[in-house]
Amino acid sequence: MINRVPYLNAPIPSLSVLSLTRSLIVAWKKFKMKVSNLAVFFALFLVLSVANVSMAQTCNIYDLQPCLNAFTSGTFPSPLCCTRLKRQRPCLCQYKRNPSLRKYANSRNTRLILSRCGVPYPNC
């Protein structure tokens, strides 16, 4: 004779079925937690990769083209030149380390232009 729950008229599950059910519930909770952690990781990865790409796009020496006349002749920099220099400030150390740009980055005119634009000379 099978034991039945009187008000449901259903068989009482055995202990092994209950433990299996509990194990499945625990496994499902762990899986959901891993999936949510993985989703957070990928979201963070995407945000950081976009940030790195945008940072790489800002360090473009050609953005300083309005400053070319000021760098070569020592004339007073234009407002556009100063705006671009302020935007490129995080990149100045990178330009100083570049062998092809080093002579321009370390020149007297560069220091003069930076001071006229209110941009401190980088201490790399």
Side-chain angles (χ1 to χ4, degrees):
M1 179 166 207
I2 299 176
N3 290 336
R4 294 187 177 271
V5 178
Y7 56 88
L8 292 178
N9 198 17
I12 297 175
S14 67
L15 189 58
S16 63
V17 171
L18 288 176
S19 64
L20 178 63
T21 305
R22 186 177 307 127
S23 297
L24 287 174
I25 292 171
V26 169
W28 176 250
K29 286 181 181 178
K30 286 181 181 180
F31 175 75
K32 282 189 349 185
M33 196 165 97
K34 286 181 183 179
V35 169
S36 65
N37 288 344
L38 192 60
V40 168
F41 170 76
F42 278 121
L44 187 61
F45 174 76
L46 288 175
V47 167
L48 292 177
S49 64
V50 168
N52 285 337
V53 168
S54 67
M55 283 178 59
Q57 290 174 347
T58 60
C59 288
N60 185 355
I61 192 67
Y62 296 111
D63 284 346
L64 296 178
Q65 191 168 5
C67 302
L68 186 60
N69 192 29
F71 281 125
T72 55
S73 65
T75 60
F76 204 82
S78 67
L80 179 60
C81 171
C82 290
T83 302
R84 299 256 179 110
L85 272 173
K86 289 175 183 174
R87 194 180 308 152
Q88 293 276 325
R89 184 176 173 202
C91 305
L92 295 177
C93 286
Q94 177 184 339
Y95 298 152
K96 283 179 67 173
R97 285 190 287 268
N98 186 330
S100 62
L101 301 174
R102 189 176 298 145
K103 65 181 178 180
Y104 300 109
N106 293 327
S107 75
R108 184 175 165 273
N109 284 345
T110 300
R111 290 180 184 265
L112 183 63
I113 292 166
L114 289 174
S115 69
R116 286 180 176 168
C117 289
V119 177
Y121 189 76
N123 207 5
C124 308

